């Protein structure tokens, strides 16, 4: 009886988004285990994600399912208060992104294996939103993003650039090769650092396994691509204060980050547990408060709609290389990773998440700043 009641509740919720149980549309879900309904009602997004990993349900087009679900705010109606309260309290009273935890959290995701990311990403292994304007392939779109970043940063030969969260060295090598600059890159991932050093060998690039809070020196330019999401609300001001101290007075700081529509101190429970522990998406107001009195905002470019296309390209690569990856990753991981990529694509498609490139200066450019698009 309880199972039938749970099923009716879930069916009614999904119906408001045009989603049916065992329906004929590609965004309709197929339920293999009736316990799915009670699990979702009890545990919200965490329960739904774990149930998918356990093969309790399927959907031919998870990206379309999540687009409809999120566009109609269904997740707000099944989010458990206890779950969100625990996450928010834990984030506010502690600091989940302190240095020791930051190293552990980063390695849980980014040290999964370079083979996984090499199979999924473009040749430069850029693990951030591509810029699809006038681009047809992922390779072209990521190169356009890198060049856009360099032009916005107004790089000149001989400059010293700090790359905060340098990943596998894609930006560092591109900037050194195309714009003749010297780059210092920092990451918390051992596997990223090792590969980045190999990728950048022979170029004026120094890759360090180091947290931004321990870095000293001064730089002509600072670039951070896809790292700020891991800083955490308790550290936003600390991060910006450190960037201001590291940047020369006439320098520019480009911040490339996923953004949230509303301020929060916690992330989705399933993503927190299985994909990005310790990550929180910043809002416009949180970034604004963090930079106040430290930086002048020169440019704010939003192109979050491009992340949908980027994630779908990653998913296509992941599936295309599935047989090769199955020697290292089991079926449960494949379901988890598929759920991650397609749920995020649906979220960006629904405009729940944003992508921003923000250019900051310490004093404001006397002649003004020319925006590039």
């Amino acid at each position: 009886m309880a199972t039938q009641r749970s099923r009716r509740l879930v069916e009614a919720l999904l119906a408001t988004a045009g989603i049916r149980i065992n329906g004929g549309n590609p965004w309709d879900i197929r339920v293999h285990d009736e316990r799915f309904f009670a699990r979702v009602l009890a545990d919200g997004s965490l329960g739904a994600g774990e149930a998918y990993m356990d093969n309790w349900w399927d959907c031919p087009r998870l990206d379309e399912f999540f687009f409809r679900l999120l566009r109609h705010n269904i997740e707000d109606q099944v989010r458990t208060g206890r779950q969100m309260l625990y996450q928010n309290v834990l984030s506010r009273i502690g600091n989940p992104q302190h240095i020791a935890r930051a190293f552990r959290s980063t390695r849980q995701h980014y040290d999964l294996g370079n083979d996984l990311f090499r199979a999924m990403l473009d040749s430069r292994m850029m693990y951030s939103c591509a810029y699809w304007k006038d681009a047809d392939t992922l390779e072209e779109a990521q190169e356009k993003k890198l060049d856009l970043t360099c032009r916005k940063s107004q790089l000149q030969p001989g400059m010293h650039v700090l790359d905060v969260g340098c990943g596998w060295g894609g930006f560092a090598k591109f900037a050194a090769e195309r714009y003749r600059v010297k780059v210092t890159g920092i990451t918390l991932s051992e596997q990223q650092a090792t590969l980045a050093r190999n990728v950048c060998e022979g170029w004026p690039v120094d890759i360090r396994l180091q947290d931004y809070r321990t870095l000293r020196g001064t730089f002509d330019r600072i670039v951070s691509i896809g790292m700020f999401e891991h800083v955490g609300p308790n550290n936003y001001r600390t991060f910006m204060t450190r960037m201001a101290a590291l940047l020369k007075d006439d320098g520019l700081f480009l911040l490339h980050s996923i953004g949230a529509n509303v301020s929060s101190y916690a992330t989705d429970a399933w993503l927190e547990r299985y994909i990005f522990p310790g990550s929180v998406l910043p809002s416009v107001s949180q970034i604004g408060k963090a930079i106040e009195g430290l930086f002048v905002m020169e440019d704010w470019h939003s192109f979050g709609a491009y992340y949908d296309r980027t994630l779908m390209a990653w998913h296509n690569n992941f599936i295309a290389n599935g047989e090769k990856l199955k020697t290292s990753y089991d079926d449960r991981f494949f379901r988890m990773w598929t759920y991650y990529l397609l749920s995020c694509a649906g979220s960006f498609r629904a405009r729940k998440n944003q992508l921003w490139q923000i250019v900051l200066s310490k004093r404001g450019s006397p002649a003004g700043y020319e925006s590039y698009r």
Side-chain angles (χ1 to χ4, degrees):
M1 198 69 176
T3 300
Q4 287 301 314
R5 185 164 56 250
S6 297
R7 181 185 179 114
R8 286 195 297 271
L9 285 171
V10 173
E11 280 182 328
L13 284 169
L14 294 179
T16 63
I19 301 168
R20 294 186 296 164
I21 309 295
N22 300 325
N25 293 313
W27 54 81
D28 292 331
I29 67 172
R30 319 294 195 249
V31 176
H32 310 308
D33 192 312
E34 291 293 312
R35 291 175 295 174
F36 162 77
F37 303 106
R39 191 171 185 178
V40 168
L41 292 175
D43 297 326
S45 65
L46 179 62
E50 290 182 335
Y52 186 86
M53 291 164 63
D54 291 338
N55 204 24
W56 286 15
W57 66 283
D58 271 303
C59 178
R61 285 291 303 272
L62 272 176
D63 55 312
E64 282 293 298
F65 165 77
F66 276 104
F67 164 68
R68 285 163 173 76
L69 193 78
L70 296 171
R71 194 68 174 174
H72 289 82
N73 299 313
I74 304 301
E75 80 284 5
D76 292 335
Q77 301 177 55
V78 294
R79 183 178 293 160
T80 62
R82 179 185 61 187
Q83 171 186 310
M84 291 304 296
L85 178 64
Y86 174 76
Q87 287 178 271
N88 276 289
V89 169
L90 192 65
S91 297
R92 287 176 182 271
I93 65 175
N95 185 4
Q97 297 85 15
H98 62 77
I99 293 180
R101 173 70 185 274
F103 271 94
R104 292 195 300 271
S105 297
T106 297
R107 289 169 181 174
Q108 180 175 328
H109 184 88
Y110 295 95
D111 283 354
L112 281 169
N114 286 339
D115 57 335
L116 168 66
F117 295 104
R118 187 180 286 109
M120 185 178 82
L121 306 176
D122 64 298
S123 65
R124 292 187 177 89
M125 297 178 70
M126 295 306 302
Y127 194 24
S128 54
C129 184
Y131 193 61
W132 290 91
K133 183 180 179 181
D134 301 322
D136 296 320
T137 67
L138 179 63
E139 192 74 18
E140 292 173 349
Q142 289 292 15
E143 179 162 327
K144 284 183 177 293
K145 187 266 298 295
L146 291 174
D147 195 58
L148 180 73
T149 301
C150 292
R151 287 190 290 120
K152 285 182 178 180
S153 300
Q154 299 179 355
L155 299 189
Q156 298 295 327
M159 283 184 172
H160 191 181
V161 180
L162 172 63
D163 183 1
V164 183
C166 64
W168 293 275
F171 169 80
K173 182 181 179 183
F174 182 91
E177 181 179 7
R178 300 287 182 88
Y179 285 82
R180 303 299 174 182
V181 296
K182 175 183 177 182
V183 183
T184 295
I186 60 172
T187 177
L188 301 184
S189 165
E190 289 183 349
Q191 291 204 31
Q192 283 188 338
T194 298
L195 183 56
R197 287 171 186 144
N198 291 334
V199 165
C200 297
E201 187 176 0
W203 296 99
V205 175
D206 176 23
I207 302 295
R208 304 179 186 178
L209 195 65
Q210 188 172 2
D211 187 272
Y212 69 90
R213 285 162 283 201
T214 67
L215 191 63
R216 298 295 181 266
T218 55
F219 300 86
D220 298 292
R221 299 288 187 266
I222 300 176
V223 169
S224 182
I225 303 175
M227 175 270 181
F228 194 61
E229 301 90 333
H230 303 285
V231 168
N234 293 327
N235 302 305
Y236 290 158
R237 184 66 176 183
T238 299
F239 178 86
M240 292 300 178
T241 301
R242 188 92 293 273
M243 295 304 106
L246 293 166
L247 185 65
K248 290 182 178 179
D249 287 345
D250 60 350
L252 292 174
F253 169 32
L254 184 142
L255 180 69
H256 174 119
S257 176
I258 299 173
N261 293 332
V262 296
S263 299
S264 175
Y265 278 80
T267 193
D268 174 82
W270 185 82
L271 286 171
E272 163 72 28
R273 179 172 295 184
Y274 292 100
I275 306 298
F276 293 118
S279 67
V280 180
L281 302 184
S283 68
V284 170
S285 64
Q286 286 173 319
I287 293 174
K289 185 176 180 180
I291 68 174
E292 188 172 331
L294 296 172
F295 289 107
V296 173
M297 195 277 288
E298 299 284 4
D299 189 46
W300 195 302
H301 185 187
S302 177
F303 53 94
Y306 285 157
Y307 225 141
D308 176 13
R309 190 171 177 182
T310 303
L311 283 154
M312 294 306 294
W314 291 346
H315 177 255
N316 290 339
N317 288 344
F318 176 66
I319 296 302
N321 288 286
E323 289 303 316
K324 181 170 57 178
L325 291 171
K326 282 180 179 178
T327 60
S328 303
Y329 304 93
D330 61 20
D331 288 340
R332 184 175 171 83
F333 178 87
F334 266 78
R335 291 185 68 84
M336 178 187 77
W337 207 254
T338 294
Y339 193 85
Y340 151 55
L341 293 173
L342 295 183
S343 64
C344 288
S347 185
F348 280 99
R349 195 173 305 165
R351 299 309 305 274
K352 286 289 185 178
N353 294 341
Q354 312 305 323
L355 188 286
W356 301 317
Q357 275 200 349
I358 307 165
V359 179
L360 305 169
S361 66
K362 291 177 74 170
R363 298 179 175 180
S365 176
Y369 177 84
E370 182 181 354
S371 299
Y372 294 91
R373 296 292 184 265

